[in-house]
Amino acid sequence: MLPPPPPHPGPDAAVYRFGMRRLRTGLPGTLIALLLAPLPLVVTAGKGGAGVGQWIFAGVWLLLWGGLGVLMAYALWAGRGTLLAFDAYGVWWRHSRERQTVVPWQSLAGVGLYWAHKGNAKAGQKVMSLELCPYGDVDASDPLLKPLVVRDEPLRPGLPDRRYRIGIPMYASRQWGRELAQAAYERAPQLWFGEHERPYGYMRPLQRMS
């Protein structure tokens, strides 16, 4: 029987705030989309004899870019609380204070990191994922863990092929890749199976964003 989880990561936890990093990275593009949205409408309104076609184009442009900007802003704001953390108890995956889960170290048989180059290796762009292999079967009843379940070759001989895969966004990999791997290793060295390169397509697009 595993001890009950604490309500939140411990004070000594290594915390990686993917959501806030994504918010800062995506904010310029969102502002550009929102600023572009009314531009044709303003230009058309400034013309004395604008035709119906110009007004239709301006309206469609406003809906297209305005809708895109609003969707981007909503996604960035809704995901601002997303974080990954490691403490003495386990691996925390949080979308918000109300939507979080933790995988205890005691429930795991192996932990490691997969990575793959995106495009030319010289560009230095990588996708990464944290691989968590539990003893026995995965917990598919947890709504936050269920999307992370994958079937892949076992991390070590004798381990199950179903496990949790937490995709590390590329913008987070650039900033925290090495530090994140070190933090996981330091808290569970007996579980660590290392870092392994994989073909770029080993993760589905949605998994790259977890």
Side-chain angles (χ1 to χ4, degrees):
M1 179 70 68
L2 296 174
H8 48 71
D12 63 336
V15 181
Y16 302 93
R17 301 183 184 279
F18 294 172
M20 292 305 296
R21 175 65 179 173
R22 184 185 178 201
L23 180 63
R24 291 192 295 269
T25 303
L27 191 59
T30 302
L31 292 177
I32 289 173
L34 292 174
L35 289 173
L36 283 175
L39 188 59
L41 199 62
V42 172
V43 173
T44 302
K47 292 181 178 180
V52 175
Q54 290 176 298
W55 283 105
I56 293 176
F57 172 80
V60 171
W61 181 278
L62 177 66
L63 292 175
L64 177 64
W65 285 96
L68 178 62
V70 169
L71 287 175
M72 291 171 63
Y74 174 79
L76 292 172
W77 186 253
R80 70 191 184 282
T82 301
L83 63 80
L84 177 67
F86 307 99
D87 67 1
Y89 185 84
V91 181
W92 295 79
W93 181 236
R94 175 188 288 181
H95 287 218
S96 65
R97 290 186 178 275
E98 297 75 28
R99 299 181 65 228
Q100 68 174 13
T101 190
V102 58
V103 181
W105 297 120
Q106 294 183 36
S107 71
L108 296 175
V111 178
L113 196 75
Y114 278 179
W115 61 271
H117 286 293
K118 180 183 179 183
N120 191 330
K122 294 182 179 180
Q125 292 186 315
K126 292 182 179 180
V127 294
M128 304 173 68
S129 65
L130 186 68
E131 309 285 316
L132 307 175
C133 183
Y135 287 109
D137 202 4
V138 296
D139 181 7
S141 63
D142 188 317
L144 291 184
L145 289 178
K146 186 176 181 180
L148 306 179
V149 174
V150 298
R151 188 182 294 275
D152 204 343
E153 62 181 278
L155 302 184
R156 295 191 185 112
L159 293 183
D161 59 354
R162 295 219 314 162
R163 60 179 179 270
Y164 309 116
R165 172 172 290 161
I166 301 179
I168 311 301
M170 193 171 299
Y171 54 82
S173 298
R174 288 194 295 267
Q175 181 176 2
W176 296 314
R178 303 303 310 171
E179 181 186 337
L180 187 149
Q182 185 65 24
Y185 168 75
E186 288 176 352
R187 283 160 178 78
Q190 74 282 5
L191 301 176
W192 189 251
F193 77 95
E195 302 177 31
H196 299 271
E197 185 176 4
R198 287 292 182 267
Y200 178 70
Y202 85 94
M203 272 198 299
R204 299 190 300 271
L206 288 178
Q207 289 176 332
R208 296 177 201 145
M209 297 300 294
S210 287

